[in-house]
């Protein structure tokens, strides 16, 4: 999820695990530790945007990093006076919770997280909550910051912190339940249409998991439909041909990377000499039906041909 949410979760963990030992500094420490995995974005200074597809949410978001990195960080923190009175075991537990929950929280979103690196590069995601969702974040912020800075709440700051963690976690479980409901609706709608899906995907759009897109991949392409938690579907299925053969224009390794990144949910389009790849697994902000041909989502990856026979990689957006 977004860095503010990750910091809020880390602050709540810090307050719960170390708050009674180092006071308000526990929340600040937790917030800082919990954002460490997202520091991989600074590798953009050394790697191309294309390379970052594999690097972001890579090794720094793996479970191995959460365990081993937490131990190394704990050994480092014990050198500081503030943490000398805290046992290595408790510090390891604290840092491990901050780092592992960061990876698991990202695992709940749709981008995909390589949890099992370096043993496997499979991209995993529950696709049950949006990358930015204040319904999850606000209880964490209120529980931690409210208990620290609102005088009326300070006497019971740890109760408020616990309440924030309980509420946010309950909401996360709720979104998973909603996803199961959307999966059932999608399967039920595919049957009368005689759409034989090889795989299905449901993705939340916006906050509170109220609106979703259902996708079904077939041999021919992708069928999509907009769902609402409350109410009837907004439209019938829209079909988008996958045009997988267009990826043959690319270097085979690049083509396989794009298929891997989309986890099978993509369509390709040629615009002159330029190749566009619409990745519904990562970018799902609504179909664009007022163009010819229609597009499955507003964002796209783009490969423009170069004079030497290669391609320049970029990212585009429809207004």
């Amino acid at each position: 999820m977004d860095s503010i949410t990750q910091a809020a979760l880390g602050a709540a963990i810090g307050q719960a695990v170390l708050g009674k030992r180092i006071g308000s500094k526990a929340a600040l420490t937790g917030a800082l530790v919990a954002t460490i995995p997202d520091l991989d974005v600074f590798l953009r200074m050394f790697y191309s945007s294309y390379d970052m597809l594999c690097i972001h949410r890579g090794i720094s978001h793996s479970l191995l990093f959460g365990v081993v990195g937490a131990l190394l960080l704990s050994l480092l923190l014990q050198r500081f006076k503030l943490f000398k009175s805290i046992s290595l075991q408790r510090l390891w537990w604290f840092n491990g919770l901050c780092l592992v929950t960061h990876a698991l929280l990202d695992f709940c979103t749709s981008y995909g997280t390589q949890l099992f690196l370096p043993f496997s590069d499979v991209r995993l995601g529950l696709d049950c909550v949006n990358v930015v969702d204040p319904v999850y974040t606000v209880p964490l912020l209120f529980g931690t910051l409210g208990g620290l800075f609102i005088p009326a709440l300070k006497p019971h700051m740890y109760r408020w912190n616990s309440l924030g963690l309980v509420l946010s976690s309950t909401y996360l479980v709720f979104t998973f339940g909603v996803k199961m409901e959307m999966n059932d609706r999608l399967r039920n709608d595919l049957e009368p249409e005689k759409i034989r899906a090889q795989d299905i995907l449901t993705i939340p759009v916006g906050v509170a998991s109220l609106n979703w897109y259902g996708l079904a991949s077939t041999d021919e392409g992708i069928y999509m439909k907009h769902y609402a938690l409350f109410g009837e579907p907004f439209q019938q299925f829209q079909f988008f041909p996958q045009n997988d053969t267009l990826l043959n224009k690319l270097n085979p390794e690049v083509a396989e990377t794009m298929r891997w990144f989309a986890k099978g949910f993509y369509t390709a389009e040629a615009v002159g000499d330029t190749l566009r790849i619409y990745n519904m697994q990562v970018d799902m902000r609504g179909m664009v039906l007022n163009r010819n041909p229609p597009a499955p989502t507003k964002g796209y990856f783009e490969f423009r041909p170069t004079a030497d026979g290669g391609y320049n990689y970029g990212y585009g957006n429809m207004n």
Side-chain angles (χ1 to χ4, degrees), residues 36-54:
I36 287 176
D38 279 344
L39 295 180
D40 62 2
V41 298
F42 290 106
L43 293 175
R44 294 181 188 276
M45 294 185 292
F46 309 101
Y47 293 92
S48 68
S49 297
Y50 169 76
D51 291 329
M52 288 301 298
L53 294 178
C54 300

Side-chain angles (χ1 to χ4, degrees), residues 125-143:
L126 290 179
D127 314 302
C128 64
V129 65
N130 201 15
V131 174
V132 179
D133 193 338
V135 179
Y136 177 82
T137 309
V138 169
L140 290 172
L141 290 173
F142 182 79

Side-chain angles (χ1 to χ4, degrees), residues 50 244 246-260 311:
Y50 169 76
D244 181 69
L246 290 176
L247 271 65
N248 294 336
K249 296 181 178 181
L250 303 174
N251 176 291
E253 184 179 345
V254 174
E256 283 307 307
T257 296
M258 298 309 295
R259 293 185 181 103
W260 164 83
Y311 282 87

Side-chain angles (χ1 to χ4, degrees), residues 101-156:
T101 56
H102 181 120
L104 293 178
L105 191 55
D106 279 347
F107 166 63
C108 292
T109 66
S110 61
Y111 187 92
T113 307
Q114 299 174 68
L115 288 176
F116 298 123
L117 279 178
F119 310 107
S120 171
D121 68 351
V122 63
R123 295 179 63 249
L124 301 170
L126 290 179
D127 314 302
C128 64
V129 65
N130 201 15
V131 174
V132 179
D133 193 338
V135 179
Y136 177 82
T137 309
V138 169
L140 290 172
L141 290 173
F142 182 79
T144 303
L145 299 180
L148 288 173
F149 298 110
I150 299 177
L153 304 183
K154 275 191 175 183
H156 305 290

Side-chain angles (χ1 to χ4, degrees), residues 96-241:
L97 278 176
C98 288
L99 296 178
V100 170
T101 56
H102 181 120
L104 293 178
L105 191 55
D106 279 347
F107 166 63
C108 292
T109 66
S110 61
Y111 187 92
T113 307
Q114 299 174 68
L115 288 176
F116 298 123
L117 279 178
F119 310 107
S120 171
D121 68 351
V122 63
R123 295 179 63 249
L124 301 170
L126 290 179
D127 314 302
C128 64
V129 65
N130 201 15
V131 174
V132 179
D133 193 338
V135 179
Y136 177 82
T137 309
V138 169
L140 290 172
L141 290 173
F142 182 79
T144 303
L145 299 180
L148 288 173
F149 298 110
I150 299 177
L153 304 183
K154 275 191 175 183
H156 305 290
M157 66 171 64
Y158 297 109
R159 291 184 184 178
W160 284 104
N161 187 62
S162 298
L163 179 62
L165 283 166
V166 168
L167 289 177
S168 61
S169 300
T170 300
Y171 173 67
L172 208 57
V173 173
F174 164 77
T175 65
F176 184 75
V178 175
K179 181 179 177 65
M180 295 299 99
E181 167 68 16
M182 294 302 162
N183 284 348
D184 288 341
R185 290 190 195 181
L186 177 57
R187 291 191 185 97
N188 291 337
D189 288 348
L190 290 171
E191 187 174 349
E193 299 286 342
K194 296 183 179 179
I195 299 173
R196 296 185 177 182
Q198 297 171 338
D199 198 5
I200 66 169
L201 176 68
T202 53
I203 297 180
V205 182
V207 302
S209 295
L210 297 176
N211 291 289
W212 293 69
Y213 271 98
L215 298 89
S217 65
T218 68
D219 290 331
E220 299 79 26
I222 307 290
Y223 288 86
M224 295 178 58
K225 195 171 187 177
H226 189 185
Y227 289 89
L229 178 58
F230 303 107
E232 296 299 318
F234 287 94
Q235 55 198 187
Q236 298 301 309
F237 280 107
Q238 296 286 335
F239 175 74
F240 299 92

Side-chain angles (χ1 to χ4, degrees), residues 267-286:
T267 65
E269 174 187 51
V271 182
D273 292 333
T274 299
L275 175 64
R276 289 181 178 178
I277 300 174
Y278 298 90
N279 184 334
M280 286 84 83
Q281 192 275 325
V282 170
D283 185 322
M284 181 44 61
R285 289 173 288 155

